Short mmCIF file of all heavy atoms in Angstrom, two decimals:
data_model
loop_
_atom_site.label_atom_id
_atom_site.label_comp_id
_atom_site.label_asym_id
_atom_site.label_seq_id
_atom_site.Cartn_x
_atom_site.Cartn_y
_atom_site.Cartn_z
N GLY A 1 128.42 143.42 -65.84
CA GLY A 1 129.78 143.90 -65.52
C GLY A 1 129.83 144.91 -64.36
O GLY A 1 130.94 145.31 -64.03
N SER A 2 128.67 145.33 -63.88
CA SER A 2 128.67 146.36 -62.78
C SER A 2 128.98 145.74 -61.47
O SER A 2 129.54 146.53 -60.67
CB SER A 2 127.36 147.05 -62.83
OG SER A 2 126.32 146.13 -62.51
N ILE A 3 128.77 144.61 -61.27
CA ILE A 3 129.07 143.93 -59.88
C ILE A 3 130.55 143.38 -59.97
O ILE A 3 130.85 142.74 -61.00
CB ILE A 3 128.07 142.83 -59.58
CG1 ILE A 3 126.77 143.47 -59.33
CG2 ILE A 3 128.53 142.04 -58.31
CD1 ILE A 3 125.65 142.46 -59.04
N ARG A 4 131.26 143.63 -58.96
CA ARG A 4 132.74 143.42 -59.02
C ARG A 4 132.89 141.87 -59.32
O ARG A 4 132.32 141.01 -58.65
CB ARG A 4 133.33 143.79 -57.73
CG ARG A 4 134.89 143.59 -57.81
CD ARG A 4 135.51 143.83 -56.37
NE ARG A 4 136.96 143.62 -56.50
CZ ARG A 4 137.77 143.45 -55.53
NH1 ARG A 4 137.22 143.57 -54.24
NH2 ARG A 4 139.03 143.22 -55.65
N ARG A 5 133.82 141.60 -60.22
CA ARG A 5 134.16 140.18 -60.49
C ARG A 5 135.66 139.98 -60.23
O ARG A 5 136.50 140.82 -60.45
CB ARG A 5 133.99 139.91 -62.00
CG ARG A 5 132.55 140.03 -62.47
CD ARG A 5 132.46 139.66 -63.99
NE ARG A 5 131.14 139.91 -64.49
CZ ARG A 5 130.75 139.74 -65.76
NH1 ARG A 5 131.65 139.15 -66.64
NH2 ARG A 5 129.60 139.98 -66.12
N ILE A 6 135.99 138.81 -59.61
CA ILE A 6 137.36 138.40 -59.39
C ILE A 6 137.50 137.08 -60.18
O ILE A 6 136.79 136.18 -59.88
CB ILE A 6 137.63 138.20 -57.86
CG1 ILE A 6 137.56 139.40 -57.19
CG2 ILE A 6 139.08 137.56 -57.70
CD1 ILE A 6 137.70 139.30 -55.60
N PRO A 7 138.46 137.05 -61.06
CA PRO A 7 138.64 135.80 -61.86
C PRO A 7 138.94 134.56 -60.85
O PRO A 7 139.68 134.68 -59.92
CB PRO A 7 139.84 136.04 -62.81
CG PRO A 7 139.83 137.61 -62.83
CD PRO A 7 139.32 138.07 -61.57
N PHE A 8 138.30 133.50 -61.18
CA PHE A 8 138.38 132.31 -60.26
C PHE A 8 139.86 131.91 -60.09
O PHE A 8 140.20 131.52 -58.91
CB PHE A 8 137.57 131.14 -60.86
CG PHE A 8 137.28 130.04 -59.86
CD1 PHE A 8 136.25 129.93 -59.09
CD2 PHE A 8 138.26 129.00 -59.80
CE1 PHE A 8 135.98 128.90 -58.19
CE2 PHE A 8 138.08 128.05 -58.92
CZ PHE A 8 136.97 127.91 -58.11
N TRP A 9 140.64 132.02 -61.04
CA TRP A 9 142.05 131.44 -60.95
C TRP A 9 142.81 132.15 -59.82
O TRP A 9 143.76 131.64 -59.27
CB TRP A 9 142.74 131.67 -62.29
CG TRP A 9 143.07 132.99 -62.68
CD1 TRP A 9 142.27 133.83 -63.54
CD2 TRP A 9 144.20 133.90 -62.33
NE1 TRP A 9 142.86 135.04 -63.66
CE2 TRP A 9 143.98 135.06 -62.95
CE3 TRP A 9 145.25 133.67 -61.50
CZ2 TRP A 9 144.91 136.15 -62.80
CZ3 TRP A 9 146.21 134.72 -61.37
CH2 TRP A 9 145.98 135.99 -62.04
N ARG A 10 142.36 133.47 -59.55
CA ARG A 10 143.14 134.23 -58.57
C ARG A 10 143.01 133.58 -57.11
O ARG A 10 143.94 133.72 -56.33
CB ARG A 10 142.65 135.64 -58.56
CG ARG A 10 143.02 136.49 -59.76
CD ARG A 10 142.70 137.95 -59.58
NE ARG A 10 143.43 138.49 -58.35
CZ ARG A 10 143.00 139.57 -57.68
NH1 ARG A 10 141.90 140.23 -58.18
NH2 ARG A 10 143.61 139.96 -56.57
N ILE A 11 141.80 133.02 -56.88
CA ILE A 11 141.72 132.33 -55.51
C ILE A 11 142.66 131.18 -55.38
O ILE A 11 142.80 130.76 -54.20
CB ILE A 11 140.21 132.05 -55.25
CG1 ILE A 11 139.98 131.94 -53.77
CG2 ILE A 11 139.81 130.77 -56.02
CD1 ILE A 11 138.55 131.82 -53.39
N LEU A 12 143.11 130.70 -56.51
CA LEU A 12 144.02 129.54 -56.38
C LEU A 12 145.45 129.92 -56.41
O LEU A 12 146.30 129.20 -55.75
CB LEU A 12 143.79 128.56 -57.58
CG LEU A 12 142.34 128.00 -57.82
CD1 LEU A 12 142.26 127.16 -59.02
CD2 LEU A 12 141.85 127.26 -56.49
N GLU A 13 145.72 130.94 -56.97
CA GLU A 13 147.24 131.43 -57.13
C GLU A 13 147.58 132.68 -56.36
O GLU A 13 148.79 132.98 -56.21
CB GLU A 13 147.48 131.62 -58.64
CG GLU A 13 147.22 130.39 -59.45
CD GLU A 13 147.50 130.64 -60.93
OE1 GLU A 13 148.29 131.57 -61.19
OE2 GLU A 13 146.97 129.87 -61.83
N GLU A 14 146.59 133.50 -55.93
CA GLU A 14 146.98 134.76 -55.26
C GLU A 14 146.18 134.81 -53.96
O GLU A 14 145.22 134.21 -53.71
CB GLU A 14 146.59 135.91 -56.13
CG GLU A 14 147.34 136.04 -57.51
CD GLU A 14 146.90 137.14 -58.30
OE1 GLU A 14 146.18 137.96 -57.81
OE2 GLU A 14 147.41 137.28 -59.46
N ASN A 15 146.67 135.75 -53.14
CA ASN A 15 145.99 135.89 -51.85
C ASN A 15 144.93 136.99 -51.99
O ASN A 15 145.20 138.20 -52.14
CB ASN A 15 147.06 136.37 -50.79
CG ASN A 15 146.43 136.61 -49.36
OD1 ASN A 15 145.31 136.16 -49.16
ND2 ASN A 15 147.21 137.14 -48.46
N VAL A 16 143.69 136.47 -52.02
CA VAL A 16 142.62 137.41 -52.19
C VAL A 16 141.68 137.43 -50.95
O VAL A 16 140.53 137.81 -51.08
CB VAL A 16 141.73 137.11 -53.52
CG1 VAL A 16 142.54 137.22 -54.64
CG2 VAL A 16 141.31 135.59 -53.41
N SER A 17 142.27 137.02 -49.89
CA SER A 17 141.50 136.87 -48.60
C SER A 17 140.83 138.25 -48.29
O SER A 17 139.64 138.33 -47.90
CB SER A 17 142.35 136.33 -47.56
OG SER A 17 142.73 135.04 -47.76
N GLN A 18 141.64 139.40 -48.26
CA GLN A 18 141.07 140.58 -47.85
C GLN A 18 140.04 141.02 -48.78
O GLN A 18 138.97 141.75 -48.26
CB GLN A 18 142.20 141.58 -47.82
CG GLN A 18 143.18 141.49 -46.71
CD GLN A 18 142.38 141.57 -45.35
OE1 GLN A 18 142.39 140.56 -44.58
NE2 GLN A 18 141.87 142.70 -45.01
N GLU A 19 140.06 140.72 -50.12
CA GLU A 19 139.04 141.13 -50.98
C GLU A 19 137.67 140.35 -50.82
O GLU A 19 136.55 140.85 -51.26
CB GLU A 19 139.48 140.91 -52.44
CG GLU A 19 140.71 141.72 -52.83
CD GLU A 19 141.19 141.45 -54.16
OE1 GLU A 19 140.47 141.77 -55.15
OE2 GLU A 19 142.34 140.93 -54.35
N LEU A 20 137.72 139.17 -50.10
CA LEU A 20 136.50 138.46 -49.94
C LEU A 20 136.03 138.43 -48.46
O LEU A 20 134.96 137.80 -48.18
CB LEU A 20 136.81 137.01 -50.42
CG LEU A 20 137.23 136.83 -51.79
CD1 LEU A 20 137.56 135.32 -52.19
CD2 LEU A 20 136.08 137.25 -52.78
N LYS A 21 136.75 139.03 -47.63
CA LYS A 21 136.40 139.03 -46.14
C LYS A 21 135.03 139.83 -46.06
O LYS A 21 134.94 140.83 -46.49
CB LYS A 21 137.50 139.72 -45.33
CG LYS A 21 137.25 139.78 -43.82
CD LYS A 21 138.45 140.24 -43.14
CE LYS A 21 138.15 140.25 -41.62
NZ LYS A 21 138.10 138.87 -41.13
N ASN A 22 134.15 139.08 -45.33
CA ASN A 22 132.90 139.66 -45.03
C ASN A 22 132.02 139.98 -46.27
O ASN A 22 131.24 140.94 -46.28
CB ASN A 22 133.01 140.90 -44.08
CG ASN A 22 133.37 140.44 -42.69
OD1 ASN A 22 133.07 139.45 -42.20
ND2 ASN A 22 134.19 141.40 -42.03
N LYS A 23 132.33 139.29 -47.29
CA LYS A 23 131.54 139.59 -48.59
C LYS A 23 130.52 138.48 -48.85
O LYS A 23 130.69 137.33 -48.35
CB LYS A 23 132.60 139.61 -49.76
CG LYS A 23 133.61 140.67 -49.63
CD LYS A 23 133.06 142.09 -49.70
CE LYS A 23 134.18 143.11 -49.64
NZ LYS A 23 133.68 144.50 -49.65
N LEU A 24 129.57 138.78 -49.58
CA LEU A 24 128.58 137.80 -50.12
C LEU A 24 129.19 137.35 -51.52
O LEU A 24 129.23 138.11 -52.37
CB LEU A 24 127.22 138.44 -50.21
CG LEU A 24 126.09 137.49 -50.29
CD1 LEU A 24 125.90 136.86 -48.93
CD2 LEU A 24 124.74 138.33 -50.59
N VAL A 25 129.65 136.11 -51.50
CA VAL A 25 130.43 135.67 -52.67
C VAL A 25 129.51 134.73 -53.52
O VAL A 25 128.90 133.80 -53.00
CB VAL A 25 131.73 134.95 -52.22
CG1 VAL A 25 132.41 134.36 -53.45
CG2 VAL A 25 132.49 135.74 -51.42
N PHE A 26 129.48 135.01 -54.79
CA PHE A 26 128.74 134.11 -55.75
C PHE A 26 129.86 133.62 -56.66
O PHE A 26 130.70 134.29 -57.27
CB PHE A 26 127.75 134.95 -56.57
CG PHE A 26 126.48 135.34 -55.71
CD1 PHE A 26 126.48 136.57 -55.00
CD2 PHE A 26 125.47 134.47 -55.79
CE1 PHE A 26 125.38 136.85 -54.38
CE2 PHE A 26 124.27 134.91 -54.97
CZ PHE A 26 124.28 136.01 -54.23
N ILE A 27 129.72 132.21 -56.83
CA ILE A 27 130.67 131.58 -57.75
C ILE A 27 129.86 131.08 -58.96
O ILE A 27 128.84 130.36 -58.71
CB ILE A 27 131.38 130.32 -57.02
CG1 ILE A 27 132.19 130.80 -55.88
CG2 ILE A 27 132.24 129.56 -58.11
CD1 ILE A 27 132.83 129.67 -55.09
N GLY A 28 130.23 131.38 -60.11
CA GLY A 28 129.47 131.01 -61.31
C GLY A 28 130.22 131.32 -62.63
O GLY A 28 131.23 131.99 -62.66
N VAL A 29 129.62 130.88 -63.72
CA VAL A 29 130.11 131.01 -64.98
C VAL A 29 129.87 132.37 -65.62
O VAL A 29 128.70 132.83 -65.62
CB VAL A 29 129.58 129.92 -65.96
CG1 VAL A 29 129.99 130.13 -67.37
CG2 VAL A 29 130.08 128.52 -65.46
N THR A 30 130.98 133.02 -66.17
CA THR A 30 130.79 134.22 -66.88
C THR A 30 131.29 134.15 -68.20
O THR A 30 131.09 135.02 -69.07
CB THR A 30 131.42 135.49 -66.14
OG1 THR A 30 132.82 135.22 -66.05
CG2 THR A 30 130.88 135.60 -64.71
N SER A 31 132.00 133.09 -68.57
CA SER A 31 132.62 132.88 -69.95
C SER A 31 131.50 132.77 -70.91
O SER A 31 130.62 131.91 -70.81
CB SER A 31 133.53 131.69 -69.99
OG SER A 31 134.00 131.46 -71.31
N PRO A 32 131.53 133.54 -71.97
CA PRO A 32 130.53 133.43 -72.98
C PRO A 32 130.52 131.99 -73.68
O PRO A 32 129.47 131.57 -74.23
CB PRO A 32 130.87 134.48 -74.11
CG PRO A 32 131.70 135.44 -73.34
CD PRO A 32 132.44 134.64 -72.28
N ASP A 33 131.66 131.31 -73.71
CA ASP A 33 131.73 130.05 -74.37
C ASP A 33 130.93 129.02 -73.71
O ASP A 33 130.63 128.01 -74.31
CB ASP A 33 133.20 129.55 -74.38
CG ASP A 33 134.05 130.49 -75.20
OD1 ASP A 33 133.53 131.21 -76.14
OD2 ASP A 33 135.39 130.56 -75.04
N LEU A 34 130.52 129.23 -72.36
CA LEU A 34 129.80 128.25 -71.68
C LEU A 34 128.31 128.45 -71.71
O LEU A 34 127.49 127.80 -71.21
CB LEU A 34 130.26 128.22 -70.24
CG LEU A 34 131.79 127.75 -70.05
CD1 LEU A 34 132.13 127.71 -68.64
CD2 LEU A 34 132.00 126.42 -70.73
N HIS A 35 127.92 129.58 -72.38
CA HIS A 35 126.47 129.86 -72.75
C HIS A 35 125.53 129.87 -71.46
O HIS A 35 124.47 129.42 -71.71
CB HIS A 35 125.98 128.97 -73.71
CG HIS A 35 126.95 128.74 -74.98
ND1 HIS A 35 127.10 129.83 -75.83
CD2 HIS A 35 127.75 127.83 -75.40
CE1 HIS A 35 127.93 129.56 -76.85
NE2 HIS A 35 128.34 128.25 -76.53
N ASP A 36 125.93 130.43 -70.43
CA ASP A 36 125.14 130.50 -69.29
C ASP A 36 124.77 131.95 -69.13
O ASP A 36 125.37 132.62 -68.16
CB ASP A 36 125.76 129.98 -68.05
CG ASP A 36 124.74 130.07 -66.84
OD1 ASP A 36 123.51 130.27 -66.97
OD2 ASP A 36 125.24 130.03 -65.64
N GLU A 37 123.99 132.52 -69.97
CA GLU A 37 123.78 133.99 -69.98
C GLU A 37 122.32 134.18 -70.58
O GLU A 37 121.77 133.43 -71.32
CB GLU A 37 124.70 134.74 -70.70
CG GLU A 37 124.98 134.26 -72.14
CD GLU A 37 126.21 134.94 -72.76
OE1 GLU A 37 127.01 135.64 -72.13
OE2 GLU A 37 126.38 134.79 -73.98
#
């Protein structure tokens, strides 16, 4: 939880361009229900 997380849905419904500009972006599962931990 120490590395900043942006919920995936926001990139579809909100303008998050400034938050991702010049960033190293990782897309992946964090939901405990999907058991990738």
Side-chain angles (χ1 to χ4, degrees):
S2 58
I3 294 179
R4 188 185 176 196
R5 299 182 189 181
I6 297 176
F8 191 93
W9 67 266
R10 287 188 58 201
I11 200 171
L12 304 177
E13 301 180 18
E14 298 180 2
N15 183 9
V16 293
S17 297
Q18 286 302 115
E19 297 178 65
L20 300 176
K21 185 176 178 62
N22 292 324
K23 301 295 184 184
L24 204 63
V25 180
F26 287 89
I27 300 175
V29 170
T30 62
S31 173
D33 296 336
L34 299 182
H35 307 293
D36 181 20
E37 51 190 12

